[in-house]
Amino acid sequence: MTDHEPLLEWVERIAMHLAGDGVPPIAGRVLGWLMICDPPEQSAGQISAAIGASRASLTSNLRLLSSMGFLAWRTRPGERTVYYRMADDAWAAVVRRQIAGITSFLDVTRDGLTLIGPDNERATRIRRAHAAFQWMAEVFETAPPLDPVQAGPHQDT
């Protein structure tokens, strides 16, 4: 086993975990790699070589991850190469968007209950969805804010 193999096994664990949430495996591997690579900024060629992805599939997944707020990119003076890295607050930003989606879905379920009536037997499925999302919204509303000091370097959770 090379020194690189344990890193790639961890990257694959990230990819498989995220695949359960519908994230394409290549995108999951990119995220995993950019979480653990050194240096933290990598070109598409470096990422492709590290995770074994074709440049074509890598390009579309880099675009997807950038649009989702996971990645930041930049060029260097005098170079045409684009370098990618994890956005500083990528995970917190994604979670905030998911929380906003929960709140938005509550509006949709509330409208559904108004449309067919909350006591209508057909409303059972909507009420269940509404109750689950209401519970999640309340949990997040009462959760303490993310402490950026704990998220900083050299902190174990």
Side-chain angles (χ1 to χ4, degrees):
M1 182 178 278
T2 67
D3 291 342
H4 202 65
E5 286 180 52
L7 296 177
L8 291 177
E9 288 175 9
W10 186 83
V11 165
E12 193 63 21
R13 284 179 63 197
I14 295 291
M16 293 302 95
H17 182 80
L18 295 174
D21 290 329
V23 175
I26 297 295
R29 289 181 189 114
V30 170
L31 284 175
W33 180 250
L34 289 175
M35 287 173 70
I36 202 168
C37 66
D38 188 34
E41 290 186 342
Q42 303 265 305
S43 68
Q46 290 171 306
I47 297 168
S48 175
I51 66 171
S54 73
R55 290 294 292 263
S57 66
L58 186 67
T59 299
S60 62
N61 282 281
L62 288 169
R63 196 173 312 120
L64 170 68
L65 293 170
S66 295
S67 71
M68 294 172 70
F70 278 109
L71 304 184
W73 58 270
R74 71 178 186 101
T75 57
R76 295 177 181 158
E79 292 185 30
R80 293 175 27 173
T81 303
V82 174
Y83 294 89
Y84 297 89
R85 65 175 172 77
M86 291 292 301
D88 291 338
D89 66 343
W91 296 103
V94 168
V95 169
R96 280 193 296 273
R97 275 198 309 277
Q98 290 174 330
I99 293 168
I102 289 169
T103 303
S104 174
F105 196 72
L106 280 172
D107 293 340
V108 173
T109 56
R110 194 175 297 112
D111 290 347
L113 291 171
T114 300
L115 179 67
I116 64 171
D119 296 327
N120 184 310
E121 189 166 324
R122 294 184 304 159
T124 300
R125 293 182 300 264
I126 297 172
R127 280 194 310 271
R128 287 180 180 154
H130 187 80
F133 280 83
Q134 180 69 46
W135 172 78
M136 286 189 283
E138 289 171 6
V139 167
F140 284 119
E141 190 175 298
T142 60
L146 176 65
D147 183 353
V149 173
Q150 281 187 321
H154 309 295
Q155 294 292 320
D156 291 335
T157 56

